[in-house]
Amino acid sequence: MKNKEGILMKIMRYSFSIRGVLDEHNLQVVNRIATNGFMYLWIYTAVANIVMLFLPEAMITHSFTIGFVFINILVGFGGVSMYMSHQISKMKLNYQEVSKDEYPNAVRRAYRHGAWWGLLYGIYVYLITAPFNGFASWFTIGLTLFIIIVSWTSDTQREIGHIVKIH
Amino acid sequence: MMNRVREYRKLNKLSQFELAEAIGVARQTINLIENDKYNPSLKLCILLAETLGTDLNTLFWKVGETDEE
């Protein structure tokens, strides 16, 4: 009954912590959430770019363009990610049901997942702060390490909280 | 669509988790089917009937239909 998962589904599963079996019902739910997310993104992309096209040339300065890119990342990436995560949580697709024997393995997987996310957030923060504060500055390195540890522990904690032991 | 999945699962002394594992679906899906909140596909209906040792007509029927019809 298990469906073969494509690469996009694997990315989605990992990015949004979709756990357990993706059977026909869960697949329908995930498809609905993904379609909604895509439509929000599609409408936003169309509106934002059309507005940008009609703005007077004098307004489009370098800092304005950077601001536009940041807003796109914030709304397009962050907004849609938040919507998807919220919906997946609401449908409890990020809950993992395991037997007592499988519990330690599930916890180890949660630690690994947290470590990956910590690393990704760390790289992201480093790339944002390094151009302004220096690539080898104590502030950049310290902040990056802090973000890695905070993201790792918070993600691991959340993941472990979503593991349900079945007797 | 109404069903007797819960009844036949208990007859077979299976938990929702065991039935879900046997047919490769999530436990929540079995729970939704038993509570008439999700209409499974024909493929899943056949799998359920085979696993529970019965046939489709016994396990599923349309809303409003009775055994006598």
Side-chain angles (χ1 to χ4, degrees):
Chain A
M1 199 60 214
K2 281 171 190 161
N3 302 299
K4 198 171 176 267
E5 283 176 24
I7 184 81
L8 286 177
M9 190 54 83
K10 278 182 183 156
I11 293 171
M12 201 170 150
R13 195 187 244 280
Y14 207 78
S15 307
F16 299 106
S17 305
I18 300 170
R19 298 279 171 258
V21 186
L22 263 188
D23 58 21
E24 57 176 49
H25 170 259
N26 290 348
L27 212 54
Q28 271 179 28
V29 174
V30 169
N31 283 339
R32 181 181 57 78
I33 295 169
T35 308
N36 288 348
F38 167 76
M39 284 314 293
Y40 294 140
L41 198 59
W42 188 71
I43 292 165
Y44 172 75
T45 311
V47 171
N49 287 294
I50 289 167
V51 166
M52 187 77 170
L53 268 179
F54 286 97
L55 285 177
E57 214 170 303
M59 225 178 131
I60 307 169
T61 56
H62 181 68
S63 56
F64 181 87
T65 315
I66 290 173
F68 180 71
V69 172
F70 267 104
I71 288 171
N72 276 349
I73 292 172
L74 200 73
V75 177
F77 186 75
V80 172
S81 296
M82 264 174 67
Y83 165 77
M84 304 266 286
S85 301
H86 172 72
Q87 288 294 314
I88 282 162
S89 274
K90 201 172 138 192
M91 300 308 290
K92 292 188 174 169
L93 291 176
N94 52 2
Y95 278 71
Q96 191 182 4
E97 292 187 336
V98 293
S99 62
K100 208 178 165 187
D101 303 332
E102 287 170 355
Y103 187 76
N105 278 334
V107 172
R108 264 195 291 276
R109 278 199 300 273
Y111 274 106
R112 272 204 300 273
H113 188 273
W116 273 111
W117 276 114
L119 199 68
L120 276 176
Y121 280 121
I123 292 170
Y124 179 68
V125 167
Y126 181 79
L127 290 176
I128 284 180
T129 48
F132 302 105
N133 298 292
F135 284 86
S137 81
W138 284 111
F139 178 77
T140 307
I141 293 167
L143 185 69
T144 304
L145 285 174
F146 176 73
I147 293 294
I148 288 176
I149 291 165
V150 168
S151 308
W152 187 354
T153 46
S154 63
D155 188 84
T156 305
Q157 208 174 16
R158 196 180 57 237
E159 284 287 307
I160 292 173
H162 287 163
I163 301 172
V164 181
K165 257 194 259 184
I166 297 279
H167 296 284
Chain B
M1 193 163 70
M2 306 290 279
N3 67 76
R4 287 198 183 95
V5 173
R6 191 192 302 268
E7 189 185 323
Y8 273 81
R9 175 175 62 77
K10 284 184 177 168
L11 269 175
N12 283 272
K13 293 189 173 75
L14 289 168
S15 66
Q16 283 187 345
F17 188 67
E18 286 165 335
L19 179 60
E21 289 249 296
I23 57 176
V25 296
R27 188 196 56 79
Q28 289 91 333
T29 305
I30 299 292
N31 187 46
L32 289 170
I33 294 169
E34 286 186 355
N35 290 306
D36 300 319
K37 285 179 181 165
Y38 173 63
N39 285 333
S41 69
L42 184 58
K43 195 178 164 189
L44 183 52
C45 289
I46 293 170
L47 264 172
L48 275 167
E50 276 175 357
T51 312
L52 296 172
T54 181
D55 57 86
L56 284 177
N57 283 340
T58 317
L59 209 57
F60 298 97
W61 69 93
K62 222 164 69 182
V63 181
E65 268 181 15
T66 58
D67 287 346
E68 290 77 40
E69 280 177 298

